[in-house]
Amino acid sequence: MAELITGPDGAVVDGVLRLGIDGVVGAAGYEVTTTRTPSGLRYDIRTPTGEQLSWTAPAVAQRTLVLGGARSGKSTEAERLLAGHADTVYVATGGDGSADPEWAERIALHRARRPASWGLVETIDLVPLLESPGPPLLIDCFTLWLARVMDECEVWTDHSRAAEVERRIEHLAEAWTATTRLVVAVSNEVGSGVVPADAGTRLYRDLMGRVNATLARRSETVLWCVAGRTIAI
């Protein structure tokens, strides 16, 4: 009887046929066909004795975007996805909270629930991080990143400067696409409620939609969090 043993790097049939996460190392007498599925790469194997085996290598998502509304559970889900990586670097885009006691309290709660081994970088300069090799990144979040980029570009007072923000969004998307790191990022979906009354907030809403749509198209996995439940979209 054929023996199939699985491991973190793939599977082995009868100790000779190796099935990788994304490819096969052949062995004489074995017939192998592969099929791309939503769950990953499926191997169908016919052994020299005529036995039929099947194994699916789980899909590897290098870029995961976690979306949701306020308090939907998106940050918790992002942290869960990287819980097994002790060297994860948490990238905080919202500042240190020193000027706002309520915000500082939120930051403290986030820090308390993260693994002590995780690193921390507080910045909105995300492109160099994405472009450099290194351990996994958890970016939390693109919503605050956009608000602070709009501050830097003085878009709130001069809406004509939105083109500079769009340029930064495109640079971010290029770095996100090309990164060699495992990366999970959080972002708010802000366009499902009432239309904002002022032009600046409407512009922010539209740019936030641009960020989410652009990065979602360039991600292997996009998750939607609502009421603490997570749905793949």
Side-chain angles (χ1 to χ4, degrees):
M1 182 175 179
E3 179 184 55
L4 187 148
I5 299 176
T6 63
D9 298 321
V12 179
V13 180
D14 295 336
V16 294
L17 176 68
R18 299 187 180 279
L19 310 175
I21 294 297
D22 196 19
V24 60
V25 178
Y30 291 83
E31 298 177 14
V32 182
T33 59
T34 58
T35 306
R36 291 284 179 187
T37 74
S39 300
L41 185 65
R42 189 183 77 224
Y43 292 96
D44 293 299
I45 307 110
R46 182 181 177 86
T47 72
T49 60
E51 291 183 71
Q52 301 283 346
L53 299 174
S54 181
W55 176 71
T56 299
V60 178
Q62 186 172 352
R63 287 160 288 264
T64 298
L65 181 62
V66 184
L67 301 171
R71 299 297 192 182
S72 61
K74 57 190 182 299
S75 291
T76 301
E77 175 64 15
E79 292 163 10
R80 184 191 68 79
L81 291 172
L82 291 174
H85 297 269
D87 57 347
T88 294
V89 175
Y90 186 94
V91 184
T93 62
D96 60 10
S98 58
D100 185 339
E102 181 184 358
W103 188 246
E105 183 178 355
R106 289 194 181 200
I107 291 173
L109 291 172
H110 273 250
R111 286 176 175 167
R113 74 182 186 219
R114 295 198 299 265
S117 63
W118 283 15
L120 173 66
V121 176
E122 296 177 341
T123 185
I124 61 170
D125 194 10
L126 304 180
V127 170
L129 284 172
L130 291 167
E131 288 181 339
S132 62
L137 300 176
L138 195 166
I139 301 172
D140 196 356
C141 63
F142 285 138
T143 315
L144 295 171
W145 173 85
L146 176 61
R148 293 181 65 193
V149 166
M150 290 177 69
D151 287 343
E152 283 192 354
C153 296
E154 300 180 347
V155 173
W156 301 105
T157 55
D158 183 357
H159 299 167
S160 68
R161 300 175 67 89
E164 171 61 20
V165 178
E166 300 235 18
R167 186 183 67 82
R168 294 202 192 184
I169 292 171
E170 187 56 34
H171 286 174
L172 172 65
E174 291 170 359
W176 175 265
T177 302
T179 189
T180 59
R181 294 185 189 238
L182 177 65
V183 58
V184 176
V186 174
S187 191
N188 282 66
E189 175 53 63
V190 300
S192 301
V194 298
V195 177
D198 66 281
T201 308
R202 289 195 298 272
L203 176 60
Y204 173 77
R205 176 202 59 179
D206 292 347
L207 289 171
M208 192 71 257
R210 183 74 56 82
V211 170
N212 290 345
T214 300
L215 295 175
R217 285 194 298 269
R218 304 183 183 209
S219 301
E220 289 85 4
T221 300
V222 181
L223 303 177
W224 170 253
C225 293
V226 57
R229 303 294 295 270
T230 303
I231 303 166
I233 59 175

